[in-house]
Coordinates of all heavy atoms in Angstrom, one line a residue:
M13 N 0.9 -1.2 0.0 CA 0.0 0.0 0.0 C 0.9 1.2 0.0 O 1.9 1.3 0.7 CB -0.9 -0.1 1.2 CG -1.8 1.1 1.5 SD -3.5 1.2 1.1 CE -4.1 -0.3 0.7
K14 N 0.5 2.2 -0.7 CA 1.3 3.4 -0.9 C 1.5 4.2 0.3 O 2.6 4.7 0.6 CB 0.6 4.3 -2.0 CG 1.4 5.5 -2.3 CD 0.6 6.3 -3.4 CE 1.3 7.6 -3.6 NZ 0.5 8.5 -4.5
G15 N 0.5 4.4 1.1 CA 0.6 5.4 2.2 C 1.0 4.8 3.6 O 1.1 5.5 4.6
V16 N 1.4 3.5 3.6 CA 1.8 2.9 4.9 C 3.2 2.3 4.8 O 3.5 1.6 3.9 CB 0.8 1.7 5.2 CG1 1.2 1.0 6.5 CG2 -0.6 2.2 5.4
K17 N 4.0 2.6 5.8 CA 5.3 2.1 6.0 C 5.4 1.4 7.3 O 5.2 2.1 8.4 CB 6.4 3.2 5.8 CG 7.8 2.7 5.9 CD 8.8 3.8 5.9 CE 10.1 3.1 6.1 NZ 11.1 4.1 6.6
V18 N 5.7 0.2 7.4 CA 5.9 -0.5 8.6 C 7.3 -0.3 9.1 O 8.3 -0.6 8.5 CB 5.7 -2.0 8.5 CG1 5.9 -2.8 9.8 CG2 4.3 -2.3 8.0
Y19 N 7.4 0.4 10.3 CA 8.7 0.8 10.8 C 9.3 -0.4 11.6 O 10.5 -0.7 11.4 CB 8.5 2.0 11.7 CG 9.8 2.4 12.5 CD1 10.9 2.8 11.8 CD2 9.8 2.5 13.9 CE1 12.1 3.2 12.5 CE2 10.9 2.8 14.6 CZ 12.0 3.2 13.9 OH 13.1 3.6 14.6
K20 N 8.5 -1.0 12.5 CA 9.0 -2.1 13.3 C 7.9 -3.2 13.3 O 6.7 -2.9 13.5 CB 9.2 -1.8 14.8 CG 10.5 -1.1 15.0 CD 10.7 -0.9 16.5 CE 12.0 -0.2 16.8 NZ 12.3 -0.1 18.3
E21 N 8.3 -4.4 13.0 CA 7.4 -5.5 13.0 C 7.6 -6.4 14.2 O 8.7 -6.6 14.7 CB 7.6 -6.4 11.8 CG 7.1 -5.8 10.5 CD 7.2 -6.8 9.3 OE1 6.3 -7.6 9.2 OE2 8.2 -6.7 8.6
K22 N 6.5 -6.9 14.8 CA 6.5 -7.8 15.9 C 7.4 -7.2 17.0 O 8.3 -7.9 17.5 CB 6.8 -9.2 15.5 CG 5.8 -9.7 14.5 CD 5.9 -11.2 14.3 CE 4.8 -11.5 13.4 NZ 4.8 -12.8 12.9
C23 N 7.1 -6.0 17.5 CA 7.9 -5.4 18.5 C 7.0 -5.4 19.8 O 5.9 -5.9 19.9 CB 8.2 -4.0 18.1 SG 6.8 -2.9 17.8
N24 N 7.6 -4.8 20.9 CA 6.9 -4.6 22.1 C 6.0 -3.4 22.1 O 6.3 -2.5 21.4 CB 7.9 -4.5 23.3 CG 8.7 -5.7 23.5 OD1 8.2 -6.8 23.3 ND2 10.0 -5.5 23.8
A25 N 4.9 -3.4 22.8 CA 4.0 -2.3 22.9 C 4.8 -1.1 23.5 O 4.4 0.1 23.2 CB 2.8 -2.6 23.7
E26 N 5.8 -1.3 24.3 CA 6.5 -0.2 25.0 C 7.3 0.6 24.0 O 7.7 1.7 24.2 CB 7.4 -0.7 26.1 CG 6.7 -1.3 27.3 CD 6.3 -2.7 27.0 OE1 7.0 -3.5 26.3 OE2 5.2 -3.1 27.5
D27 N 7.6 0.0 22.8 CA 8.4 0.7 21.8 C 7.7 1.9 21.3 O 8.3 2.9 20.7 CB 8.8 -0.2 20.6 CG 9.7 -1.3 21.0 OD1 10.4 -1.2 22.1 OD2 9.9 -2.3 20.2
A28 N 6.4 2.0 21.4 CA 5.6 3.1 20.9 C 5.7 4.3 21.8 O 5.2 5.4 21.5 CB 4.1 2.7 20.6
T29 N 6.3 4.2 23.0 CA 6.4 5.3 23.9 C 7.6 6.2 23.6 O 7.8 7.1 24.3 CB 6.4 4.8 25.4 OG1 7.6 3.9 25.5 CG2 5.1 4.0 25.7
D30 N 8.4 5.8 22.6 CA 9.5 6.6 22.2 C 9.1 7.9 21.7 O 8.4 8.0 20.6 CB 10.3 5.8 21.2 CG 11.6 6.5 20.7 OD1 12.0 7.5 21.4 OD2 12.2 6.0 19.8
K31 N 9.5 9.0 22.3 CA 9.1 10.3 21.9 C 9.8 10.8 20.7 O 9.5 11.9 20.1 CB 9.2 11.3 23.1 CG 8.2 11.0 24.2 CD 8.3 12.1 25.2 CE 7.5 11.7 26.5 NZ 6.1 11.6 26.3
S32 N 10.9 10.1 20.2 CA 11.6 10.6 19.0 C 10.9 10.1 17.7 O 11.3 10.5 16.7 CB 13.0 10.0 19.1 OG 13.0 8.6 19.0
L33 N 9.9 9.3 17.9 CA 9.1 8.9 16.7 C 8.3 10.0 16.1 O 8.0 11.0 16.8 CB 8.2 7.7 17.0 CG 8.7 6.4 17.4 CD1 7.6 5.5 17.9 CD2 9.3 5.8 16.1
P34 N 8.0 10.0 14.8 CA 7.1 11.1 14.3 C 5.7 10.9 14.9 O 5.3 9.8 15.3 CB 7.1 10.8 12.8 CG 7.5 9.4 12.6 CD 8.3 9.1 13.8
Y35 N 4.9 12.0 14.9 CA 3.6 11.9 15.4 C 2.6 11.2 14.5 O 1.5 11.0 14.8 CB 3.0 13.3 15.8 CG 3.0 14.3 14.7 CD1 2.1 14.3 13.7 CD2 4.0 15.3 14.6 CE1 2.1 15.3 12.7 CE2 4.0 16.3 13.6 CZ 3.0 16.3 12.7 OH 3.0 17.2 11.7
S36 N 3.1 10.8 13.3 CA 2.2 10.0 12.4 C 2.5 8.5 12.5 O 2.0 7.7 11.7 CB 2.5 10.4 10.9 OG 3.9 10.2 10.6
A37 N 3.2 8.1 13.6 CA 3.4 6.7 13.9 C 2.3 6.1 14.8 O 1.8 6.8 15.7 CB 4.8 6.5 14.6
Y38 N 1.9 4.9 14.4 CA 0.8 4.2 15.2 C 1.3 2.9 15.6 O 2.0 2.2 14.9 CB -0.4 4.1 14.3 CG -1.1 5.4 13.9 CD1 -0.7 6.1 12.9 CD2 -2.1 5.9 14.7 CE1 -1.3 7.4 12.6 CE2 -2.7 7.1 14.4 CZ -2.3 7.8 13.4 OH -2.9 9.0 13.1
L39 N 0.8 2.5 16.8 CA 1.0 1.1 17.3 C -0.2 0.3 16.9 O -1.4 0.6 17.2 CB 1.1 1.2 18.8 CG 1.3 -0.2 19.5 CD1 2.6 -0.8 19.2 CD2 1.1 -0.1 21.0
V40 N 0.0 -0.8 16.1 CA -1.0 -1.6 15.6 C -1.0 -2.9 16.3 O 0.1 -3.6 16.5 CB -0.8 -1.9 14.1 CG1 -1.9 -2.7 13.5 CG2 -0.7 -0.5 13.3
E41 N -2.2 -3.4 16.8 CA -2.3 -4.7 17.5 C -3.1 -5.6 16.6 O -4.1 -5.3 16.1 CB -3.0 -4.5 18.8 CG -3.1 -5.8 19.6 CD -3.7 -5.6 21.0 OE1 -4.1 -4.5 21.3 OE2 -3.9 -6.7 21.6
Y42 N -2.6 -6.8 16.5 CA -3.3 -7.9 15.7 C -2.9 -9.2 16.4 O -2.0 -9.3 17.2 CB -2.9 -7.9 14.2 CG -1.4 -8.0 14.0 CD1 -0.8 -9.2 13.7 CD2 -0.6 -6.8 14.0 CE1 0.6 -9.3 13.5 CE2 0.8 -6.9 13.7 CZ 1.3 -8.1 13.5 OH 2.7 -8.2 13.3
K43 N -3.6 -10.3 16.0 CA -3.4 -11.6 16.6 C -2.9 -12.6 15.5 O -3.4 -12.6 14.4 CB -4.6 -12.1 17.2 CG -5.1 -11.3 18.4 CD -6.2 -12.0 19.1 CE -6.7 -11.1 20.2 NZ -6.0 -11.3 21.5
V44 N -1.9 -13.3 15.9 CA -1.4 -14.4 15.1 C -1.4 -15.7 15.9 O -0.8 -15.8 17.0 CB 0.1 -14.2 14.6 CG1 0.6 -15.3 13.8 CG2 0.2 -12.9 13.8
D45 N -2.2 -16.6 15.5 CA -2.5 -17.9 16.3 C -2.9 -17.6 17.7 O -2.5 -18.3 18.6 CB -1.2 -18.7 16.3 CG -0.8 -19.2 14.9 OD1 -1.7 -19.4 14.0 OD2 0.4 -19.3 14.6
G46 N -3.8 -16.6 17.9 CA -4.3 -16.2 19.2 C -3.4 -15.4 20.1 O -3.8 -15.1 21.2
V47 N -2.2 -15.1 19.6 CA -1.2 -14.3 20.4 C -1.2 -12.9 19.9 O -1.1 -12.7 18.6 CB 0.2 -15.0 20.3 CG1 1.2 -14.1 21.1 CG2 0.1 -16.4 20.9
S48 N -1.3 -11.9 20.7 CA -1.2 -10.5 20.3 C 0.2 -10.1 19.9 O 1.2 -10.4 20.5 CB -1.6 -9.6 21.5 OG -3.0 -9.7 21.8
C49 N 0.2 -9.5 18.7 CA 1.5 -9.0 18.1 C 1.3 -7.5 17.9 O 0.2 -7.0 17.7 CB 1.8 -9.7 16.8 SG 2.1 -11.4 17.0
F50 N 2.4 -6.8 17.9 CA 2.4 -5.3 17.7 C 3.4 -4.9 16.6 O 4.4 -5.5 16.4 CB 2.8 -4.6 19.0 CG 1.9 -4.9 20.1 CD1 2.2 -5.9 21.0 CD2 0.7 -4.2 20.3 CE1 1.3 -6.1 22.1 CE2 -0.1 -4.4 21.3 CZ 0.2 -5.4 22.2
D51 N 3.0 -3.9 15.8 CA 3.8 -3.3 14.8 C 3.8 -1.8 15.0 O 2.8 -1.3 15.6 CB 3.3 -3.5 13.4 CG 3.5 -4.9 12.9 OD1 4.2 -5.7 13.6 OD2 3.0 -5.2 11.8
I52 N 4.8 -1.1 14.6 CA 4.8 0.4 14.6 C 4.8 0.7 13.1 O 5.7 0.3 12.4 CB 5.9 1.0 15.3 CG1 5.9 0.7 16.8 CG2 6.0 2.5 15.1 CD1 7.0 1.2 17.6
A53 N 3.7 1.5 12.7 CA 3.6 1.8 11.3 C 3.4 3.3 11.1 O 2.9 4.0 12.0 CB 2.3 1.1 10.7
L54 N 4.0 3.8 10.0 CA 3.9 5.3 9.7 C 2.9 5.5 8.6 O 3.0 4.7 7.6 CB 5.3 5.8 9.3 CG 6.4 5.5 10.3 CD1 7.7 5.8 9.6 CD2 6.2 6.2 11.6
T55 N 2.1 6.5 8.7 CA 1.1 6.7 7.7 C 0.6 8.2 7.7 O 0.8 8.8 8.7 CB -0.1 5.8 7.8 OG1 -1.0 6.0 6.7 CG2 -0.9 6.0 9.1
G56 N 0.1 8.6 6.6 CA -0.5 10.0 6.5 C -1.9 10.0 6.9 O -2.5 10.9 7.4
K57 N -2.6 8.9 6.5 CA -4.1 8.7 6.8 C -4.3 7.5 7.6 O -3.8 6.4 7.3 CB -4.8 8.6 5.5 CG -4.8 9.8 4.6 CD -5.6 9.5 3.4 CE -5.6 10.5 2.3 NZ -6.4 10.1 1.2
E58 N -5.2 7.6 8.6 CA -5.6 6.5 9.4 C -6.4 5.5 8.6 O -6.3 4.3 8.8 CB -6.4 6.9 10.6 CG -5.6 7.7 11.6 CD -6.4 8.2 12.8 OE1 -7.6 7.8 12.9 OE2 -5.8 8.9 13.6
A59 N -7.1 5.9 7.6 CA -7.9 5.0 6.8 C -7.0 4.1 6.0 O -7.3 2.9 5.8 CB -8.8 5.8 5.8
D60 N -5.9 4.6 5.5 CA -4.9 3.7 4.8 C -4.4 2.7 5.7 O -4.2 1.5 5.3 CB -3.8 4.6 4.2 CG -4.2 5.4 3.0 OD1 -5.3 5.2 2.4 OD2 -3.5 6.4 2.7
L61 N -4.1 3.0 6.9 CA -3.5 2.1 7.9 C -4.5 1.0 8.2 O -4.2 -0.2 8.2 CB -3.2 2.8 9.2 CG -2.5 2.0 10.3 CD1 -1.1 1.5 9.8 CD2 -2.4 2.8 11.5
F62 N -5.8 1.4 8.4 CA -6.8 0.4 8.7 C -7.0 -0.5 7.5 O -7.0 -1.8 7.7 CB -8.2 1.1 9.0 CG -9.3 0.1 9.2 CD1 -9.4 -0.6 10.4 CD2 -10.2 -0.2 8.1 CE1 -10.4 -1.5 10.5 CE2 -11.2 -1.1 8.3 CZ -11.3 -1.8 9.5
D63 N -7.1 0.0 6.3 CA -7.2 -0.8 5.1 C -6.1 -1.8 4.9 O -6.3 -3.0 4.6 CB -7.4 0.0 3.9 CG -8.7 0.8 3.8 OD1 -9.6 0.5 4.6 OD2 -8.7 1.8 3.0
Y64 N -4.9 -1.3 5.1 CA -3.7 -2.2 5.0 C -3.7 -3.4 5.9 O -3.5 -4.5 5.5 CB -2.4 -1.3 5.2 CG -1.1 -2.1 5.1 CD1 -0.6 -2.4 3.9 CD2 -0.4 -2.5 6.3 CE1 0.6 -3.1 3.8 CE2 0.8 -3.2 6.2 CZ 1.3 -3.5 4.9 OH 2.4 -4.2 4.8
Y65 N -3.9 -3.1 7.2 CA -3.9 -4.2 8.2 C -5.2 -5.1 8.2 O -5.1 -6.3 8.4 CB -3.7 -3.6 9.6 CG -2.2 -3.4 9.9 CD1 -1.6 -2.2 9.7 CD2 -1.4 -4.5 10.3 CE1 -0.2 -2.0 9.9 CE2 -0.1 -4.3 10.5 CZ 0.5 -3.1 10.3 OH 1.9 -2.9 10.5
Y66 N -6.3 -4.5 7.8 CA -7.5 -5.3 7.7 C -7.4 -6.3 6.5 O -7.8 -7.4 6.6 CB -8.7 -4.5 7.6 CG -10.0 -5.3 7.7 CD1 -10.5 -5.7 9.0 CD2 -10.7 -5.7 6.6 CE1 -11.6 -6.4 9.1 CE2 -11.8 -6.5 6.7 CZ -12.3 -6.9 8.0 OH -13.4 -7.6 8.2
D67 N -6.8 -5.8 5.4 CA -6.5 -6.7 4.3 C -5.6 -7.8 4.6 O -5.7 -9.0 4.1 CB -6.0 -5.9 3.1 CG -7.1 -5.0 2.5 OD1 -8.3 -5.2 2.8 OD2 -6.7 -4.1 1.7
L68 N -4.6 -7.6 5.5 CA -3.6 -8.6 5.9 C -4.2 -9.6 6.9 O -4.0 -10.8 6.7 CB -2.4 -8.0 6.5 CG -1.4 -7.3 5.5 CD1 -0.3 -6.7 6.3 CD2 -0.8 -8.3 4.6
Y69 N -4.9 -9.1 7.9 CA -5.3 -10.0 9.0 C -6.7 -10.2 9.2 O -7.1 -11.0 10.1 CB -4.7 -9.4 10.3 CG -3.2 -9.4 10.3 CD1 -2.5 -8.2 10.1 CD2 -2.4 -10.6 10.4 CE1 -1.1 -8.2 10.0 CE2 -1.1 -10.5 10.4 CZ -0.4 -9.4 10.2 OH 1.0 -9.3 10.1
K70 N -7.6 -9.5 8.5 CA -9.1 -9.7 8.5 C -9.6 -9.6 9.9 O -9.4 -8.6 10.6 CB -9.5 -11.0 7.8 CG -9.0 -11.2 6.4 CD -9.8 -10.3 5.5 CE -9.3 -10.6 4.1 NZ -9.2 -9.5 3.2
K71 N -10.1 -10.6 10.4 CA -10.8 -10.6 11.8 C -9.8 -10.7 12.9 O -10.1 -10.4 14.1 CB -11.8 -11.8 11.9 CG -12.9 -11.8 10.9 CD -13.7 -10.6 11.1 CE -14.8 -10.6 10.0 NZ -15.6 -9.4 10.0
D72 N -8.5 -10.9 12.6 CA -7.5 -11.0 13.7 C -6.9 -9.6 13.9 O -6.1 -9.4 14.8 CB -6.3 -11.9 13.3 CG -6.8 -13.4 13.4 OD1 -7.7 -13.7 14.2 OD2 -6.3 -14.2 12.6
F73 N -7.3 -8.6 13.1 CA -6.9 -7.2 13.4 C -7.6 -6.7 14.6 O -8.8 -6.9 14.7 CB -7.2 -6.3 12.2 CG -7.0 -4.9 12.4 CD1 -5.8 -4.3 12.5 CD2 -8.1 -4.0 12.6 CE1 -5.6 -3.0 12.7 CE2 -7.9 -2.7 12.8 CZ -6.7 -2.2 12.9
V74 N -6.9 -6.1 15.6 CA -7.6 -5.7 16.9 C -7.8 -4.2 16.9 O -8.9 -3.7 16.9 CB -6.7 -6.2 18.1 CG1 -7.4 -5.7 19.4 CG2 -6.6 -7.7 18.1
K75 N -6.7 -3.4 16.9 CA -6.8 -2.0 16.9 C -5.5 -1.3 16.6 O -4.5 -1.9 16.5 CB -7.3 -1.5 18.3 CG -6.2 -1.8 19.4 CD -6.7 -1.3 20.7 CE -5.6 -1.6 21.8 NZ -5.9 -1.0 23.1
F76 N -5.6 0.0 16.4 CA -4.4 0.8 16.3 C -4.5 2.1 17.2 O -5.6 2.6 17.3 CB -4.0 1.1 14.9 CG -4.9 2.0 14.1 CD1 -4.9 3.3 14.1 CD2 -5.9 1.4 13.4 CE1 -5.7 4.1 13.4 CE2 -6.8 2.1 12.6 CZ -6.7 3.5 12.7
T77 N -3.4 2.5 17.8 CA -3.4 3.8 18.6 C -2.2 4.6 18.2 O -1.2 4.1 17.8 CB -3.4 3.4 20.1 OG1 -2.2 2.6 20.3 CG2 -4.6 2.7 20.5
Q78 N -2.4 5.9 18.4 CA -1.3 6.8 18.0 C -0.1 6.6 19.0 O -0.3 6.4 20.2 CB -1.7 8.2 18.0 CG -0.7 9.2 17.4 CD -1.3 10.5 17.1 OE1 -2.4 10.8 17.5 NE2 -0.6 11.3 16.3
S79 N 1.1 6.6 18.5 CA 2.3 6.5 19.4 C 2.5 7.8 20.2 O 1.8 8.8 20.0 CB 3.5 6.1 18.6 OG 3.9 7.2 17.8
E80 N 3.5 7.8 21.0 CA 3.9 8.9 21.8 C 4.8 9.9 21.1 O 5.4 10.8 21.7 CB 4.6 8.5 23.1 CG 3.7 7.7 24.1 CD 2.6 8.6 24.7 OE1 2.8 9.7 25.0 OE2 1.4 8.0 24.8
G81 N 5.0 9.6 19.8 CA 6.0 10.4 19.0 C 5.6 11.9 19.0 O 4.5 12.3 18.9
R82 N 6.7 12.7 18.9 CA 6.5 14.2 18.9 C 7.1 14.8 17.7 O 6.9 16.0 17.5 CB 7.1 14.8 20.2 CG 6.6 14.2 21.5 CD 5.2 14.8 21.8 NE 4.8 14.5 23.1 CZ 3.9 13.6 23.4 NH1 3.4 12.8 22.5 NH2 3.6 13.4 24.7
S83 N 7.9 14.1 17.0 CA 8.7 14.7 15.8 C 7.8 15.0 14.6 O 6.9 14.3 14.4 CB 9.8 13.8 15.4 OG 10.7 13.6 16.5
N84 N 8.2 16.0 13.9 CA 7.5 16.3 12.6 C 7.9 15.2 11.6 O 9.1 14.9 11.4 CB 8.0 17.7 12.1 CG 7.3 18.1 10.9 OD1 6.7 17.3 10.2 ND2 7.3 19.4 10.6
P85 N 6.9 14.6 11.0 CA 7.3 13.5 10.0 C 8.1 13.9 8.9 O 8.9 13.2 8.3 CB 5.9 13.0 9.5 CG 4.9 13.5 10.5 CD 5.5 14.7 11.1
K86 N 8.0 15.2 8.4 CA 8.8 15.7 7.3 C 10.3 15.8 7.7 O 11.2 15.7 6.9 CB 8.3 17.0 6.8 CG 6.9 16.9 6.2 CD 6.5 18.2 5.7 CE 5.1 18.1 5.1 NZ 4.6 19.4 4.6
L87 N 10.6 16.1 9.0 CA 11.9 16.3 9.4 C 12.5 15.0 10.1 O 13.7 15.0 10.4 CB 12.0 17.4 10.5 CG 11.4 18.8 10.0 CD1 11.4 19.8 11.1 CD2 12.3 19.3 8.8
W88 N 11.7 14.0 10.3 CA 12.2 12.8 11.0 C 13.0 11.9 10.0 O 12.6 11.7 8.9 CB 11.0 12.0 11.5 CG 11.4 10.8 12.3 CD1 11.9 10.7 13.6 CD2 11.2 9.4 11.9 NE1 12.1 9.4 13.9 CE2 11.7 8.6 12.9 CE3 10.8 8.8 10.7 CZ2 11.7 7.2 12.8 CZ3 10.8 7.5 10.6 CH2 11.3 6.7 11.7
N89 N 14.1 11.5 10.5 CA 15.0 10.5 9.7 C 15.0 9.2 10.3 O 15.2 9.1 11.5 CB 16.4 11.0 9.5 CG 16.5 12.3 8.7 OD1 15.8 12.4 7.7 ND2 17.3 13.2 9.1
D90 N 14.7 8.2 9.6 CA 14.7 6.8 10.1 C 16.1 6.4 10.5 O 17.0 6.3 9.7 CB 14.1 5.9 9.0 CG 14.0 4.4 9.4 OD1 14.3 4.1 10.6 OD2 13.4 3.6 8.7
P91 N 16.3 6.1 11.8 CA 17.7 5.7 12.2 C 18.1 4.4 11.7 O 19.3 4.1 11.6 CB 17.6 5.7 13.8 CG 16.1 5.6 14.1 CD 15.4 6.1 12.9
N92 N 17.2 3.5 11.2 CA 17.6 2.2 10.7 C 17.9 2.3 9.2 O 18.5 1.3 8.7 CB 16.4 1.2 10.8 CG 16.1 1.0 12.3 OD1 17.0 1.1 13.2 ND2 14.9 0.7 12.6
K93 N 17.6 3.4 8.6 CA 17.9 3.5 7.1 C 19.4 3.8 6.9 O 19.9 4.7 7.6 CB 17.1 4.7 6.6 CG 17.1 4.9 5.1 CD 16.2 6.0 4.7 CE 16.2 6.2 3.2 NZ 15.3 7.3 2.8
P94 N 20.0 3.1 6.0 CA 21.5 3.3 5.8 C 21.7 4.7 5.2 O 20.9 5.1 4.3 CB 21.9 2.2 4.9 CG 20.7 1.7 4.3 CD 19.5 2.0 5.2
K95 N 22.8 5.3 5.6 CA 23.1 6.7 5.0 C 23.7 6.5 3.6 O 24.5 5.5 3.4 CB 24.0 7.4 5.9 CG 23.4 7.7 7.2 CD 24.3 8.5 8.1 CE 23.6 8.8 9.4 NZ 24.4 9.5 10.4
P96 N 23.4 7.4 2.7 CA 24.0 7.3 1.4 C 25.5 7.5 1.4 O 26.0 8.3 2.3 CB 23.3 8.3 0.5 CG 22.8 9.3 1.5 CD 22.5 8.5 2.8
P97 N 26.3 6.9 0.6 CA 27.8 7.1 0.6 C 28.1 8.5 0.2 O 27.4 9.2 -0.6 CB 28.3 6.1 -0.4 CG 27.2 5.8 -1.3 CD 25.9 6.0 -0.5
K98 N 29.1 9.1 0.9 CA 29.5 10.4 0.6 C 30.3 10.5 -0.7 O 31.1 9.5 -1.1 CB 30.5 11.0 1.7 CG 29.7 11.2 3.0 CD 30.7 11.8 4.0 CE 29.9 12.0 5.3 NZ 30.8 12.6 6.3
K99 N 30.0 11.5 -1.5 CA 30.7 11.6 -2.8 C 32.0 12.3 -2.6 O 32.2 13.2 -1.8 CB 29.8 12.5 -3.7 CG 28.5 11.8 -4.1 CD 27.8 12.7 -5.1 CE 26.5 12.0 -5.4 NZ 25.7 12.8 -6.3
G100 N 33.0 11.8 -3.3 CA 34.4 12.3 -3.2 C 34.5 13.6 -3.9 O 33.7 14.0 -4.8
R101 N 35.4 14.4 -3.5 CA 35.7 15.7 -4.2 C 36.3 15.5 -5.5 O 37.2 14.6 -5.7 CB 36.6 16.5 -3.3 CG 36.5 18.0 -3.5 CD 37.3 18.6 -2.4 NE 38.5 19.2 -3.1 CZ 39.5 19.7 -2.5 NH1 39.6 19.7 -1.2 NH2 40.5 20.2 -3.1
K102 N 35.8 16.2 -6.5 CA 36.4 16.1 -7.9 C 37.8 16.8 -7.9 O 38.0 17.8 -7.3 CB 35.5 16.7 -8.9 CG 34.2 15.9 -9.1 CD 33.4 16.5 -10.2 CE 32.2 15.7 -10.4 NZ 31.3 16.3 -11.5
K103 N 38.7 16.2 -8.6 CA 40.0 16.7 -8.7 C 40.3 17.3 -10.1 O 39.7 17.0 -11.0 CB 41.1 15.6 -8.4 CG 41.0 15.2 -7.0 CD 42.1 14.1 -6.8 CE 42.0 13.6 -5.4 NZ 43.0 12.7 -5.0

């Protein structure tokens, strides 16, 4: 789906209390084999988030709540994303 990016899969619910996350991050709860699992997903629209997870898990989708993130999503840089290599100076 275009508008949803899964930041962390199968993480702890406490990971959503990180205030360095963007305010567009959501904690998503769903069940796999009767066990609750959590993801942190980034999205611009809550409807896109619901559609994405409902299509994946159908009736095992439980809920999503906004994380404790405070950062502006446009200024937030994913710490897990590798940095591009620096270009050398031309001689």
